[in-house]
Amino acid sequence: MKLKEMNEALQGLREKYAVQADGVLVACAAGSWGAAAELEINGKRCKLLPWRVERRFIELKKLVDGKTLEDVSTLRFASMVSGGGVEKLLYRELDLCAFLGEAQVRSIFAVMNGATANLVVKLADGKSCSVECSAALPAGTLPMDRHEIIARRGVACDRTVDTQVPQASIYEFTATGEKRFTDTDTELFGFETDEILLIRAAFAMLSNPSIAEEWNAVDALLARQVADALATEKNGKPVIY
């Protein structure tokens, strides 16, 4: 993670859009289940939820908010990576359940096997969520995920029909192997997708500082929910809030 360059890009966005609030991206403490970086504002560290500013999730949320999807009943999520621990995946996916489902998590039950986990989550308004997570992909494998929302009328997904592996914009096949290139932000060329999302999340917080308190509260709740999910696997009982 190129923190120096990321902070330079963040300052560039502040100047371009005349944002008054200032802050700096700093690395999270080791063992954190959340995003890889936090935003420090006036000496206070604020948690970032970068997936909440990712275009595909924003568009899914618009479909729910605008009632394009009528009477949402089920959310089906899957997220797989190579290493890093299943806890980080649970942290993100549980937040997406509440964010896209537009209701707080009511209950969680988990079944785990090493670096894999299957969760059944119930939201406060009755929606059901099925969450599959794995941190056991072979070394060097790119992350893969899929988020599907099922309603009485309509189904929406962040992947195209029948897509199993995320697609890149450009593929380069050379004597030394395959390279992929995907630019998702015209103002942040040269950064990896995870870095772009962190910069955008930090910029969103500087543009609307009230987000800081909200996201810190969400982080505390998610830390508890992940710990509870791990506990349900051991005692065989769902946790109810």
Side-chain angles (χ1 to χ4, degrees), residues 10-22:
L10 178 60
Q11 294 306 313
L13 290 174
R14 282 188 60 248
E15 295 171 5
K16 180 176 181 179
Y17 295 100
V19 172
Q20 297 300 314
D22 195 7

Side-chain angles (χ1 to χ4, degrees), residues 7-238:
N7 277 307
E8 290 173 352
L10 178 60
Q11 294 306 313
L13 290 174
R14 282 188 60 248
E15 295 171 5
K16 180 176 181 179
Y17 295 100
V19 172
Q20 297 300 314
D22 195 7
V24 59
L25 285 163
V26 294
C28 287
S32 171
W33 291 340
E38 300 170 344
L39 184 64
E40 189 173 288
I41 304 176
N42 298 326
K44 179 182 178 180
R45 289 202 172 198
C46 305
K47 300 294 184 177
L48 297 176
L49 305 174
W51 41 89
R52 290 197 177 194
V53 300
E54 190 169 354
R55 175 55 55 188
R56 57 182 171 140
F57 297 132
I58 291 174
E59 295 302 324
L60 282 177
K61 187 167 175 60
K62 284 181 180 179
L63 294 176
V64 177
D65 291 344
K67 305 304 179 183
T68 302
L69 296 176
E70 295 183 3
D71 298 331
V72 173
S73 62
T74 307
L75 284 70
R76 295 176 58 189
F77 296 168
S79 182
M80 294 162 281
V81 297
S82 171
V86 73
E87 295 86 357
K88 294 181 72 68
L89 299 179
L90 296 178
Y91 181 101
R92 186 184 83 148
E93 299 306 316
L94 285 171
D95 185 48
L96 285 172
C97 284
F99 180 63
L100 297 177
E102 298 188 322
Q104 291 297 316
V105 170
R106 174 71 174 174
S107 66
I108 305 172
F109 181 71
V111 176
M112 301 180 64
N113 182 9
T116 63
N118 287 337
L119 273 67
V120 175
V121 179
K122 198 81 169 180
L123 302 185
D125 61 357
K127 296 187 187 77
S128 298
C129 309
S130 169
V131 182
E132 302 174 37
C133 295
S134 173
L137 290 183
T141 305
L142 294 175
M144 295 185 287
D145 63 2
R146 183 180 179 89
H147 300 81
E148 185 177 21
I149 302 176
I150 302 170
R152 179 180 61 82
R153 177 185 162 189
V155 176
C157 186
D158 61 342
R159 301 293 180 197
T160 54
V161 177
D162 293 332
T163 298
Q164 298 296 325
V165 179
Q167 298 174 321
S169 299
I170 299 174
Y171 294 83
E172 180 183 23
F173 301 96
T174 69
T176 57
E178 174 192 299
K179 291 184 179 180
R180 301 184 180 192
F181 303 89
T182 301
D183 289 314
T184 59
D185 195 312
T186 58
E187 295 178 309
L188 296 172
F189 283 122
F191 291 100
E192 298 293 332
T193 299
D194 290 348
E195 296 170 338
I196 289 174
L197 293 177
L198 284 169
I199 296 170
R200 284 297 177 185
F203 181 67
M205 186 173 289
L206 293 178
S207 300
N208 182 9
S210 64
I211 293 177
E213 184 176 348
E214 176 191 347
W215 284 8
N216 280 342
V218 171
D219 168 77
L221 178 61
L222 288 171
R224 176 188 172 192
Q225 290 174 346
V226 172
D228 288 344
L230 299 177
T232 68
E233 196 279 329
K234 295 179 180 178
N235 60 36
K237 298 179 181 180

